[in-house]
């Protein structure tokens, strides 16, 4: 029981076990390689699909750091490769109808596998399309920037609204630390912010169990907490792109993805802090602006949500408040890893910030500390107080 807790991260693929939560879990990712030089494992990982065509998807940035080498390795090993380049210039790629439609257009009838080379948007876009077309995909990670590499959710945009439909798990993950250390510092900050966000996500999950009778798997909570401890212990090295620190960061993000895959929900990784990030992102895109990286927004939203737990400490269920550290401690953790600590640091206006505290709970149909505040008639007073304390 709970055997997965005794495995190293590269041993976890294809694991099945009876869990102490009462459920039988299955982590169906076929293969993971997280190590120095891992990209060399791509041809072996893709071998079962050699009879068909391989569609390799990248953008102009990820092509340079890993896409070119991925294509070379596949061609050198006799694969029939088709390339799809999204050339966005200095703009960001949005996982919307246009991006998803382009991938569908480029999928030939004899395609047997897609290889996504990138991080959040490339991974989510290819994941979504392949889940609908019934194809497997492999992700070659280019940045330790988010936790969705081995999760089955695929956050995408539809008519300007961001939501997270269930897709499917990747067939394989390639996480080459030599590639990860070349990632822009803001993407490293994004990954670290996403990891910090698990602090309030776990507290939010506990609240949902006690106040809303939600299901929880304590094995998954243990997986996430172990990953956080290891990542936070090495966080100072992220500012200098220390390979060991980057490896711990990707491992934390991946283990969180494993936890999500085991329970088929994003609860181990996502709470009210993610709702604020999605609210801000949708607002920016609606105004034709490039939003901040998702994980950076999650990071600065985390001490904000911690303030909610502090303000509601007098009525929280027993034990829930103890799971969420003081907001000052979370801000110190963010600073330790070189990430922004305040919404003001990333250009969130006072008006947008206040609006998100009042309406952020509507972004997802999920019980959270913000819903708890609303249910107890204290959402507006807390939103006003936090906004005034931060923005004046």
């Amino acid at each position: 029981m709970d055997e997965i807790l005794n495995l190293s991260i590269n041993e976890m693929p294809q694991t099945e076990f009876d869990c102490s939560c009462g459920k039988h879990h299955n982590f169906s990712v076929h293969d993971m390689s997280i190590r120095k030089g891992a990209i060399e494992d791509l041809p072996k990982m893709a071998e079962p699909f050699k009879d068909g065509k391989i569609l390799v998807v990248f953008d102009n940035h990820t092509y340079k750091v890993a896409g070119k080498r991925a294509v070379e390795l596949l061609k050198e090993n006799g694969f029939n490769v088709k390339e799809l380049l999204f050339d966005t210039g200095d703009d960001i790629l949005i996982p919307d109808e246009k991006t998803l439609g382009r991938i569908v257009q480029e999928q030939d009838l004899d395609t047997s596998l897609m290889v996504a080379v990138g991080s959040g948007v490339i991974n989510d876009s290819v994941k979504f399309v392949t889940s609908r077309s019934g194809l497997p995909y492999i992700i070659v990670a280019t940045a330790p920037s988010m936790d969705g590499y081995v999760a089955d959710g695929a956050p995408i945009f539809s008519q300007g609204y961001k939501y997270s439909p269930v897709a499917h798990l990747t067939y394989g993950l390639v996480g080459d630390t030599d590639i990860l250390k070349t990632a822009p510092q803001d993407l490293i900050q994004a990954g670290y912010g996403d990891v910090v966000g698990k602090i309030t996500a776990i507290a939010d999950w506990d609240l949902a169990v006690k106040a809303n009778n939600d299901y929880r798997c304590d094995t998954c909570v243990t997986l996430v907490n172990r990953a956080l401890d290891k990542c936070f212990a090495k966080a100072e090295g992220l500012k200098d792109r220390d390979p060991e620190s980057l490896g711990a960061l990707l491992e934390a993000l991946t283990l969180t993805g494993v936890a999500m895959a085991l329970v088929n929900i994003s609860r181990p990784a996502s709470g009210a802090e993610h709702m604020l990030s999605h609210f801000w992102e949708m607002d920016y895109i609606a105004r034709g602006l490039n939003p901040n990286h998702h994980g950076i927004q999650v990071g600065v939203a985390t001490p904000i949500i911690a303030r909610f737990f502090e303000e509601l400490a007098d009525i929280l269920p027993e034990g829930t408040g103890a799971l969420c550290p003081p907001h000052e401690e979370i801000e110190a953790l963010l600073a330790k890893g070189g990430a922004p600590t305040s919404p003001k640091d990333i250009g969130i206006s006072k008006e947008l910030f206040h609006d998100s505290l009042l309406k952020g709970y509507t972004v997802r149909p999920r019980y959270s500390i913000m819903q708890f505040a609303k249910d107890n008639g204290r959402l507006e007073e807390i939103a006003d107080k936090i906004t005034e304390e931060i923005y004046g």
Side-chain angles (χ1 to χ4, degrees):
M1 188 170 285
D2 302 349
E3 293 89 346
I4 200 165
L5 295 177
N6 300 318
L7 301 178
S8 70
I9 191 167
N10 287 332
E11 294 173 327
M12 289 181 180
Q14 303 183 73
T15 299
E16 288 190 58
F17 64 99
D18 292 319
C19 184
S20 57
C21 75
K23 294 192 176 185
H24 181 80
H25 294 315
N26 175 23
F27 182 54
S28 60
V29 171
H30 188 274
D31 201 0
M32 294 195 301
S33 180
I34 300 175
R35 64 175 182 86
K36 179 181 175 67
I39 196 170
E40 303 298 319
D41 297 331
L42 177 59
K44 180 180 178 181
M45 203 177 287
E47 184 68 25
F49 311 99
K50 199 168 187 177
D51 290 342
K53 185 176 291 181
I54 312 298
L55 178 60
V56 185
V57 183
F58 37 71
D59 64 23
N60 47 302
H61 304 293
T62 64
Y63 175 77
K64 297 174 185 177
V65 299
K68 183 173 184 291
R69 182 56 181 155
V71 170
E72 288 174 349
L73 283 167
L74 291 171
K75 288 183 175 179
E76 288 169 4
N77 284 273
F79 287 85
N80 180 10
V81 177
K82 180 178 181 179
E83 302 173 44
L84 170 55
L85 168 68
F86 286 97
D87 190 352
T88 60
D90 293 328
D91 289 332
I92 64 172
L93 187 65
I94 304 296
D96 57 9
E97 297 91 338
K98 182 178 179 181
T99 299
L100 303 180
R102 177 79 189 287
I103 297 172
V104 172
Q105 284 182 319
E106 296 295 331
Q107 178 190 310
D108 294 336
L109 292 176
D110 59 346
T111 301
S112 60
L113 173 75
M114 289 195 199
V115 175
V117 183
S119 54
V121 172
I122 293 288
N123 177 65
D124 293 335
S125 299
V126 172
K127 181 193 301 184
F128 180 81
V129 170
T130 54
S131 73
R132 270 47 180 180
S133 61
L135 287 180
Y137 86 102
I138 292 172
I139 175 66
V140 178
T142 56
S145 57
M146 55 95 206
D147 57 17
Y149 286 124
V150 296
D152 61 4
I156 59 172
F157 278 84
S158 178
Q159 297 181 318
Y161 184 82
K162 188 174 186 181
Y163 74 114
S164 298
V166 173
H168 64 173
L169 297 179
T170 184
Y171 178 84
L173 165 65
V174 174
D176 191 326
T177 55
D178 284 336
I179 294 171
L180 298 176
K181 70 183 182 183
T182 68
Q185 197 65 39
D186 58 345
L187 289 180
I188 296 172
Q189 292 172 351
Y192 184 64
D194 209 358
V195 169
V196 171
K198 311 319 172 200
I199 297 172
T200 47
I202 292 297
D204 234 10
W205 199 5
D206 185 80
L207 174 65
V209 170
K210 294 172 179 174
N212 200 51
N213 296 314
D214 282 19
Y215 156 77
R216 179 180 59 200
C217 172
D218 288 336
T219 300
C220 291
V221 173
T222 299
L223 271 179
V224 173
N225 283 331
R226 284 183 183 179
L228 298 189
D229 289 344
K230 184 174 180 179
C231 180
F232 295 155
K234 300 180 181 296
E236 281 189 322
L238 294 174
K239 290 176 281 191
D240 300 319
R241 301 172 185 273
D242 172 63
E244 192 173 345
S245 299
L246 290 169
L249 174 57
L250 183 61
E251 183 171 328
L253 292 165
T254 305
L255 283 174
T256 305
V258 171
M260 288 190 282
L262 291 176
V263 294
N264 300 119
I265 52 175
S266 60
R267 268 293 185 188
S270 174
E273 72 295 323
H274 275 66
M275 296 180 190
L276 292 183
S277 176
H278 291 321
F279 193 97
W280 299 338
E281 191 172 358
M282 288 188 293
D283 176 85
Y284 269 58
I285 290 176
R287 291 186 285 134
L289 303 174
N290 285 338
N292 296 287
H293 293 303
H294 169 69
I296 287 179
Q297 294 188 155
V298 168
V300 302
T302 304
I304 305 304
I305 297 304
R307 288 174 181 257
F308 271 85
F309 279 95
E310 292 165 14
E311 293 295 328
L312 294 164
D314 58 317
I315 58 171
L316 286 174
E318 184 177 355
T320 297
L323 296 176
C324 186
H327 71 273
E328 296 93 345
E329 186 176 323
I330 296 175
E331 290 170 353
L333 269 177
L334 287 166
K336 182 180 180 182
T341 62
S342 167
K344 292 198 298 185
D345 295 342
I346 60 172
I348 303 298
S349 69
K350 181 177 181 178
E351 293 73 23
L352 173 58
F353 179 77
H354 186 257
D355 201 32
S356 69
L357 298 192
L358 293 175
K359 301 175 184 176
Y361 74 93
T362 66
V363 170
R364 285 185 178 177
R366 169 172 294 174
Y367 199 85
S368 72
I369 189 68
M370 290 190 290
Q371 181 70 57
F372 184 78
K374 178 175 174 55
D375 290 348
N376 285 277
R378 294 171 62 174
L379 181 61
E380 289 189 12
E381 67 174 79
I382 292 174
D384 291 347
K385 181 178 180 181
I386 293 175
T387 302
E388 186 64 26
E389 287 178 351
I390 294 176
Y391 286 86

